[in-house]
Amino acid sequence: MKLFKSLTAIALGGLLISVPMSNILTNTPLESVSAQSSTTQGQTLVALGSSLTDSQAQQTLSLLGANDVSSDKIITVNGSLINEFLADGSTDSTPVYSSVAIEPRGEGYGVQVQILTPANILSVSSKTYQNAAITAGASNVLIKIAAVEPVTGEGALTGVYKLYESTGQQLSSANIELAQKEISLIETIKVETGLDEAVINQIQSLIKQAISEELAVNGELADETVISLVNQILTEQGVALDSNEAAKFIEFALEYAQSEVALDDETAQQIEDSTTDVWSVESAIDFWEASVLNYVGPEIGTYNRANWSQYAYEGLSEEAIVLYLTSEDGQGSYWNFIRNNSGSVSIFQFLGDDSFPDVPFHSYLVNADDFSMIEDTPVNSREGENNGASWSGDKYQQLVAFMDDWGDSMGQYYEDYNLNQTISMYGISFPDEVIDLLSVNDVAVNAEWVEYAPLDPESDFYVVAAFTDKQYITDNIEGYQFPHFYLFGFDLEGTPMVVHSQQNQGMPDGLIHFYSTENAALQAGFEEIAYSSWD
């Protein structure tokens, strides 16, 4: 008799992520959104490792999404070429399996890197490649890296450097040398300090951006200024290093400050564009192709990149974007991309040409680093059942407005809370820990936080909103007054319920006890929102 399932709970297999309500689409008529832009794909160029057999080369082209690339756009990278660019002692007998494809992108895209075979690139992350490519002078390009055999990965960017050269955009050899030093620096810092590679790359990006911005203003930097910038960034990032470890960052920063790429006015912008959480049309499509398209494969049907459009949607944060994809048979679907704080991306698919349904047709949760599918969940709407009760982001905003009015009528002032925005309920975090210890009308329930309903049954009680006046009482009321804690949700049969608690101490059963509200106006207001349909 379990009734709904949270999209975020589905996506994490039980580990809940809170996605801001304003980032998730609700039932919005097509007339209220308008086409903003479309995207075109630049010419793809490919560099294949010389050690690949014919079948491995074909497999690699498939991994890189380059099956249709003509042979005159494909080069081969051998050990001698690696040595030419990196001076690492490689020879013609050096095995070379790592391969790359580059796809030019528009202004503002930055440098994005996709490692399509993460299990075979053993030492270098996509963020490290990204940092090194920017240092070498790359700009506004998607770099795809794949290897059908395990490789360390340090030489993978050689193909990128050669492909740039082949188009007449030869990168500076000094910048390339500096880029390779950066790859080595990041690996060394990771081994010596145990810092996460993502943290090291963030520090590197901040250092380079700060230096490039200072150079753009002043034209040159004293060593003391560079050292001060590095130490300031390490402090701001909360990273404590000994003098030898910090000296490695400083040594690179001093050399970077003297480089051609640091003096280039565009470098700071490339770093900002490459590291932003703001979606562009092209970055969202690229992410979709690397994750959903690669995962679903032929089931997606005939796919044409040119069939994407962006749609404006009022209220979305910069971490979310909405795109519309028209299939070759003329049918369409909306795709809502949302970056999560957990290092993942939620992608919700909505079917329809005229309006968004109450709930998505499909949800995907994707690892933002390697594009692996964490969860793939068909979402089957049960609209019309459960007396028509449902929940969505739009209804959440209606409830927030209702609680403002209802609180005013009661002389009480409520704030809403969620899994990311919490408050203490006598030492228990509300609502996240409360939900794990919830009793409703003296019955222990298996509860979870959801953001859409109705969906497939999975738990006993589904919490869709949480409110308390505790913060107002703390800030404005002299003397002691018991705060009110409210949870809004759906019971086993899908009936909207408002439950309330003023429990201020532990109970023998260790649970937090909530009871059905006795305030008829509050219950009726929630029911009216839950049962409402779209115009």
Side-chain angles (χ1 to χ4, degrees):
M1 295 184 68
K2 300 172 182 175
L3 191 57
F4 316 127
K5 185 184 290 184
S6 162
L7 288 181
T8 48
I10 293 171
L12 280 176
L15 176 61
L16 296 178
I17 284 180
S18 178
V19 178
M21 292 289 182
S22 61
N23 286 344
I24 303 177
L25 297 183
T26 55
N27 191 317
T28 302
L30 185 59
E31 290 77 16
S32 72
V33 295
S34 58
Q36 295 295 304
S37 63
S38 61
T39 184
T40 57
Q41 189 170 20
Q43 179 65 60
T44 300
L45 304 174
V46 176
L48 293 177
S50 61
S51 301
L52 297 172
T53 65
D54 288 344
S55 62
Q56 287 176 326
Q58 192 57 51
Q59 179 187 358
T60 301
L61 288 172
S62 180
L63 287 167
L64 295 171
N67 284 324
D68 297 331
V69 175
S70 60
S71 59
D72 64 319
K73 304 298 181 184
I74 301 175
I75 65 171
T76 300
V77 175
N78 59 21
S80 295
L81 186 63
I82 292 176
N83 187 60
E84 177 185 330
F85 280 94
L86 307 185
D88 65 350
S90 295
T91 67
D92 285 342
S93 61
T94 301
V96 182
Y97 291 97
S98 57
S99 304
V100 300
I102 64 172
E103 298 177 8
R105 292 290 183 258
E107 288 295 324
Y109 182 86
V111 175
Q112 303 300 331
V113 178
Q114 297 177 354
I115 298 178
L116 301 176
T117 55
N120 284 340
I121 305 293
L122 304 181
S123 300
V124 186
S125 72
S126 60
K127 293 300 183 184
T128 301
Y129 283 130
Q130 180 188 61
N131 256 318
I134 295 171
T135 297
S139 63
N140 297 317
V141 64
L142 170 63
I143 299 172
K144 298 179 178 179
I145 299 175
V148 295
E149 297 285 346
V151 296
T152 56
E154 288 91 342
L157 290 184
T158 299
V160 174
Y161 306 148
K162 185 61 178 179
L163 290 173
Y164 264 86
E165 182 182 281
S166 72
T167 63
Q169 305 177 66
Q170 187 165 355
L171 302 177
S172 160
S173 59
N175 290 343
I176 290 173
E177 181 181 352
L178 186 60
Q180 292 305 123
K181 287 182 179 179
E182 185 168 23
I183 291 176
S184 297
L185 166 70
I186 292 169
E187 179 65 18
T188 299
I189 294 291
K190 180 175 68 173
V191 171
E192 291 184 356
T193 68
L195 282 174
D196 185 83
E197 193 165 348
V199 173
I200 302 170
N201 274 293
Q202 183 179 18
I203 291 170
Q204 276 295 99
S205 294
L206 292 171
I207 289 172
K208 292 190 298 184
Q209 187 168 14
I211 290 173
S212 294
E213 289 174 349
E214 287 287 333
L215 286 171
V217 174
N218 301 312
E220 60 181 9
L221 284 178
D223 289 355
E224 292 78 9
T225 303
V226 174
I227 294 170
S228 177
L229 284 172
V230 172
N231 288 328
Q232 178 183 341
I233 289 168
L234 290 173
T235 299
E236 290 174 350
Q237 296 302 304
V239 174
L241 302 176
D242 64 33
S243 58
N244 290 329
E245 294 162 349
K248 292 181 172 63
F249 279 111
I250 292 170
E251 180 182 359
F252 178 87
L254 290 170
E255 187 171 355
Y256 177 80
Q258 301 299 319
S259 68
E260 296 175 19
V261 70
L263 291 166
D264 188 330
D265 292 342
E266 291 298 316
T267 299
Q269 187 62 52
Q270 282 297 309
I271 295 173
E272 182 176 343
D273 292 339
S274 302
T275 56
T276 181
D277 284 335
V278 178
W279 291 101
S280 68
V281 175
E282 289 182 315
S283 65
I285 296 173
D286 289 339
F287 192 94
W288 183 89
E289 290 177 347
S291 57
V292 176
L293 182 60
N294 278 350
Y295 177 76
V296 175
E299 294 179 23
I300 207 72
T302 303
Y303 169 67
N304 186 340
R305 184 182 174 97
N307 288 345
W308 286 99
S309 296
Q310 181 184 7
Y311 278 79
Y313 188 82
E314 185 177 356
L316 283 179
S317 76
E318 292 182 335
E319 290 77 26
I321 193 172
V322 182
L323 301 183
Y324 186 77
L325 176 61
T326 304
S327 64
E328 293 299 291
D329 62 6
Q331 300 300 308
S333 58
Y334 299 88
W335 295 83
N336 186 195
F337 299 75
I338 305 169
R339 295 191 193 277
N340 302 315
N341 293 331
S342 62
S344 62
V345 171
S346 296
I347 304 177
F348 301 108
Q349 180 188 15
F350 296 77
L351 297 183
D353 296 320
D354 299 325
S355 63
F356 299 113
D358 283 1
V359 296
F361 169 73
H362 213 115
S363 74
Y364 302 90
L365 192 76
V366 181
N367 185 305
D369 290 327
D370 62 13
F371 310 101
S372 61
M373 192 65 60
I374 300 172
E375 282 290 345
D376 156 31
T377 308
V379 182
N380 300 311
S381 173
R382 298 165 60 92
E383 187 173 4
E385 300 181 20
N386 314 309
N387 300 318
S390 65
W391 198 251
S392 66
D394 182 73
K395 292 188 176 186
Y396 184 91
Q397 297 303 325
Q398 292 180 45
L399 180 60
V400 171
F402 169 77
M403 285 299 290
D404 285 343
D405 293 339
W406 179 80
D408 285 342
S409 71
M410 299 291 292
Q412 301 164 353
Y413 303 94
Y414 289 88
E415 295 181 27
D416 60 311
Y417 293 85
N418 55 53
L419 300 186
N420 286 336
Q421 182 71 29
T422 63
I423 192 170
S424 174
M425 179 180 177
Y426 303 104
I428 303 295
S429 183
F430 175 86
D432 53 335
E433 292 181 356
V434 168
I435 290 173
D436 292 337
L437 301 170
L438 187 61
S439 165
V440 174
N441 295 327
D442 290 327
V443 176
V445 295
N446 175 26
E448 62 179 300
W449 182 276
V450 306
E451 307 194 345
Y452 282 101
L455 302 175
D456 291 337
E458 186 67 17
S459 293
D460 300 334
F461 189 80
Y462 290 83
V463 180
V464 297
F467 291 81
T468 179
D469 57 355
K470 180 184 176 181
Q471 193 62 56
Y472 177 83
I473 292 173
T474 300
D475 294 342
N476 298 280
I477 304 298
E478 294 184 6
Y480 189 78
Q481 178 174 316
F482 286 109
H484 303 80
F485 293 86
Y486 285 99
L487 295 176
F488 294 74
F490 296 86
D491 70 4
L492 289 170
E493 281 71 42
T495 302
M497 288 186 64
V498 182
V499 293
H500 167 259
S501 179
Q502 287 185 298
Q503 179 177 320
N504 62 358
Q505 58 185 348
M507 300 290 284
D509 59 8
L511 301 177
I512 309 299
H513 289 252
F514 277 69
Y515 298 92
S516 297
T517 182
E518 296 180 357
N519 189 293
L522 182 59
Q523 177 66 33
F526 179 48
E527 289 180 4
E528 181 177 357
I529 295 170
Y531 286 125
S532 65
S533 59
W534 305 109
D535 295 331

